[in-house]
Amino acid sequence: MINALEALSRLQEGNKRFATGIRSLDTMLSQAHKPDLVAGQAPFAVILGCSDSRVPVEIVFDQGLGDLFVIRVAGNVVASSQIGSVEFAAESFGTRLVVVMGHSRCGAISATLDAIRNPECKNTRGLSSIVNRIRPAVEELIHEGEDEATLKHRAVRSNVRMAAQSLRSGSELLERLILNEGLLVVGAEYSLETGLVDFFDGVPAEMRTEK
Ligand SMILES: [Zn+2]
């Protein structure tokens, strides 16, 4: 298994290809390796992303079958089942990079802002369970008197940071892997506008991409 920084670099290169409209030959050819994947998988990264139809993870990173272990839930929130999924991949496959990826114009973030501003509007129990997980990340931003676009941008990032931190400290297994086995949990934001992913949280200095 490749280490976390090699995995991060592979994601950055794949996203660059996607954003510039190049589809990698390797990715297309990986369809031909389908029979190899029957025996098992060795995904090089775990991605916790949003369910938004505009952010299909394998496509925005230009990766193929068997490359990524993907968990998608509206608002890329971290509940027990998400922690369990990350634990499963890290323990079973030795995957050493975990990315929490939010995105611009996220509907779950907007729904949370709406719920905070209009407490009398009742969401369903299911939707509330998502909104209530995002709420602590955005609640304190709301009073800072910024314009709506800036507020949403900051809220997306704050929610990613909180989710990444929940993974780093929410499981004894993951804590041990971080401490002893080089597991890295980073936060990122996908831009619908540019197609680029900015890895902005928890990335070692030498790996930071220029904006
Ligand atoms: Zn979203």
Side-chain angles (χ1 to χ4, degrees), residues 103-106 109-110 113 117 141 145-157 189 193:
H103 65 96
S104 57
R105 298 168 194 268
C106 181
I109 298 291
S110 301
L113 291 169
R117 286 166 172 155
L141 303 177
E146 284 167 328
D147 66 88
E148 193 66 11
T150 307
L151 172 64
K152 281 188 180 164
H153 176 71
R154 293 190 59 201
V156 165
R157 291 194 170 220
E189 182 184 8
E193 293 79 2

Side-chain angles (χ1 to χ4, degrees), residues 50-52 54-55 73-76 102-109:
C50 182
S51 302
D52 194 300
R54 300 164 293 179
V55 196
V73 56
N76 41 272
H103 65 96
S104 57
R105 298 168 194 268
C106 181
I109 298 291

Side-chain angles (χ1 to χ4, degrees), residues 2-211:
I2 61 173
N3 69 35
L5 293 185
E6 287 168 337
L8 183 57
S9 156
R10 197 183 281 191
L11 290 179
Q12 287 171 330
E13 284 161 19
N15 178 241
K16 244 184 253 171
R17 289 194 299 273
F18 167 74
T20 49
I22 302 165
R23 290 286 291 166
S24 132
L25 188 61
D26 284 349
T27 304
M28 286 185 278
L29 286 176
S30 75
Q31 309 294 324
H33 298 309
K34 245 190 245 175
D36 302 341
L37 294 171
V38 175
Q41 57 174 318
F44 72 86
V46 178
I47 317 282
L48 170 59
C50 182
S51 302
D52 194 300
S53 65
R54 300 164 293 179
V55 196
V57 174
E58 285 88 349
I59 293 176
V60 305
F61 286 118
D62 192 31
Q63 300 299 321
L65 300 181
D67 288 331
L68 301 177
F69 191 91
V70 178
I71 306 152
R72 288 177 71 180
V73 56
N76 41 272
V77 295
V78 174
S80 300
S81 54
Q82 281 78 43
I83 293 177
S85 301
V86 174
E87 288 176 337
F88 174 70
E91 181 81 336
S92 310
F93 316 128
T95 311
R96 288 296 172 258
L97 177 67
V98 179
V99 180
V100 176
M101 186 166 77
H103 65 96
S104 57
R105 298 168 194 268
C106 181
I109 298 291
S110 301
T112 304
L113 291 169
D114 290 346
I116 294 169
R117 286 166 172 155
N118 309 302
E120 71 283 358
C121 288
K122 291 281 173 257
N123 284 316
T124 63
R125 206 167 73 178
L127 187 53
S128 292
S129 75
I130 291 174
V131 161
N132 288 337
R133 285 196 185 274
I134 297 173
R135 182 189 291 264
V138 307
E139 216 156 30
E140 53 199 48
L141 303 177
I142 214 163
H143 305 296
E144 293 178 10
E146 284 167 328
D147 66 88
E148 193 66 11
T150 307
L151 172 64
K152 281 188 180 164
H153 176 71
R154 293 190 59 201
V156 165
R157 291 194 170 220
S158 176
N159 182 50
V160 166
R161 275 193 205 95
M162 186 182 69
Q165 194 49 40
S166 303
L167 289 178
R168 292 183 194 115
S169 60
S171 146
E172 280 179 28
L173 173 69
L174 297 181
E175 282 182 37
R176 182 169 57 72
L177 293 175
I178 289 169
L179 206 60
N180 303 323
E181 306 286 341
L183 183 78
L184 184 66
V185 180
V186 302
E189 182 184 8
Y190 172 77
S191 164
L192 293 179
E193 293 79 2
T194 65
L196 287 169
V197 176
D198 181 22
F199 294 87
F200 66 89
D201 180 60
V203 177
E206 68 271 22
M207 293 294 293
R208 275 182 212 136
T209 46
E210 287 170 31
K211 284 214 76 184

